Each structure stands twice: as C-alpha cells, then as structure tokens.
Amino acid sequence: MSINNKIKGIIFDFDGTLVDTLEDIAESANQALIDVGLKPYPVQNYKKFVGEGSEVLIERIIPKDIYSEELKSKLLKSYSEIYRKNWSKNSKPYNGIPEVLEYLKEKNYMVAILSNKPDPFTKEMASFFFPKFPFLKILGARPQIPKKPDPTAIYEIISSSKFERYNWSMVGDTAIDIKAAKNAEILPMGALWGFRPDEILIEKDILHIKQPEDIITILNNDC
C-alpha cells in the first residue's frame, strides 16, 4: 500500500523535533544550579536530561548524593522562572521544518503537537514559532493526564480528527516518543536530527528519518 494513501495525520514532538530548544533549556537550568552553588553541565549533556518534562529534568541534574525533594522544588521553581524569560533567546525551528509544515498544510494533512513540556507553555511556544500554522491540537503535560509514553493524549488527538488510528503517525527524537507511538499503535517516525539519535537508531519497527524533508519523501513514496 502506498503510505500517502494511509497516513493523513502527523503528531510531532516539540523539543528536539520541531524546534531546537537545547541551548535555552541548558542555560536556564545551569543558571538555576549556579544560583544554589552547584556546578553547571555542558550544554550537550542536556540531550540526555530532557524529554520527560521539567520535573524529571531537574531530578536528573541534581547530584545524587545531595538530592532532596526540597532542593528539587527550589530548583524547579528557579528553572521555570529563568526559562520563562529566556526560552526564545536561542531556540529556533530546525532547518527544513517550516517547509515540511507548509507541504503538510498544502496537502491537507492534519498536524498536531504533543509534548511533555507544560501545556500552557507548549501552546505559547508553538504559537510563537509557528504563528500561522493551523494545528489540529497542541498538547503539553496536563494535570491528571499521563505524559508520553502513555498513549492517552495521542488517543485524544486522534478522536478529535476524522481519521482512524491507522491514518496517524508520530515524529519524535527520543525513545519516549517512539514508545508513545507504539503504545498507541500508530506509525513511529524517528527524527535523527534531534536530541537523542542514538536511541532512535536502535529502535526497530520504525521509520528512521535523517532530515525533516524525508517526511515528504516518505509520504510520497511506497512504504
């Protein structure tokens, strides 16, 4: 079957897939660490820290020998305040992403965003970087709704469309995204340009995409 007869909707992860946010996240988290007298990390280390939301990020950057819930709470508050002031300082869409989104819009694909970043923040950032794009849904982490890799939010996106589960795919750059797609039984596409290509390369039963434009090729070619 030709994949373009099957896939009619695509769900994108945000950080590391649509937008390169690493530097702003790292600088904000490092400043929070410095403010309490802790040592910052190289920016590239944050590729392993991000992906499961702010709380997990903070848990990962606190040295295990001094970890406490009190310190975590303090750092999380500080990081959130710093990042809110600096999230657009260096972040930008990956090369090729605007062109891919334009293609999807022209061809009437349904497109959604699903992130483990807090929901209001995900919506704000998506609106800033892609102000004119008609996303079907923009969803981030919300109270009472389990985060990726749980498939609940994916089902929510699919149920708001006119298509079935087999008409959808998810593009993401971490094992969390791939597992979410597999849990929802939709086609996983692994973005090798993102934060954790090593995780993507070892994943089986997925489509590996080296650059955003490959999405167009996949949609136009036989599966």
Side-chain angles (χ1 to χ4, degrees):
M1 178 183 292
S2 176
I3 195 168
N4 61 313
N5 288 332
K6 180 180 179 183
I7 299 301
K8 299 297 183 183
I10 297 181
I11 302 168
F12 285 93
D13 171 51
F14 191 80
D15 300 85
T17 301
L18 288 175
V19 179
D20 184 355
T21 56
L22 188 69
E23 190 171 353
D24 290 333
I25 290 173
E27 289 184 357
S28 299
N30 278 341
Q31 188 59 56
L33 289 170
I34 292 168
D35 288 348
V36 296
L38 296 176
K39 185 179 178 180
Y41 295 89
V43 170
Q44 293 302 308
N45 285 35
Y46 280 86
K47 289 184 176 181
K48 298 294 185 182
F49 298 153
V50 300
E52 296 181 64
S54 299
E55 286 195 37
V56 176
L57 166 65
I58 297 304
E59 289 173 359
R60 288 172 175 167
I61 66 174
I62 298 174
K64 288 182 172 60
D65 58 338
I66 63 167
Y67 180 89
S68 70
E69 287 299 315
E70 182 180 359
L71 179 57
K72 173 188 168 182
S73 178
K74 183 177 182 178
L75 279 172
L76 181 59
K77 182 176 184 295
S78 177
Y79 164 73
S80 298
E81 291 173 352
I82 295 168
Y83 187 51
R84 172 151 292 283
K85 297 176 182 177
N86 294 283
W87 59 264
S88 62
K89 186 177 176 183
N90 300 290
S91 298
K92 60 183 180 180
Y94 286 98
N95 290 337
I97 286 295
E99 291 79 7
V100 170
L101 290 179
E102 184 62 29
Y103 171 87
L104 295 173
K105 182 171 69 173
E106 289 178 357
K107 298 298 182 180
N108 296 315
Y109 284 88
M110 288 190 172
V111 181
I113 292 174
L114 178 58
S115 174
N116 280 340
K117 189 186 292 291
D119 187 66
F121 208 12
T122 301
K123 288 176 168 62
E124 180 180 352
M125 292 183 72
S127 296
F128 176 83
F129 289 111
F130 310 107
K132 297 181 180 180
F133 193 86
F135 291 103
L136 173 68
K137 287 272 189 180
I138 300 171
L139 299 179
R142 296 165 291 165
Q144 312 305 319
I145 304 295
K147 295 185 293 187
K148 294 179 295 183
D150 187 279
T152 300
I154 294 178
Y155 295 151
E156 180 181 343
I157 291 169
I158 293 172
S159 67
S160 69
S161 76
K162 60 184 179 182
F163 301 127
E164 301 297 328
R165 191 181 305 177
Y166 58 79
N167 295 127
W168 282 87
S169 176
M170 179 161 189
V171 181
D173 68 303
T174 71
I176 294 293
D177 301 310
I178 302 307
K179 188 174 181 180
K182 289 181 176 180
N183 286 344
E185 299 182 328
I186 65 174
L187 177 69
M189 294 191 196
L192 294 173
W193 63 83
F195 294 160
R196 299 212 280 271
D198 53 330
E199 288 184 2
I200 298 299
L201 282 170
I202 63 174
E203 288 284 347
K204 298 179 179 179
D205 301 318
I206 74 169
L207 295 177
H208 295 93
I209 44 180
K210 294 182 179 180
Q211 56 191 5
E213 294 87 346
D214 290 346
I215 296 171
I216 298 174
T217 303
I218 288 169
L219 293 173
N220 283 327
N221 289 346
D222 289 341
C223 185

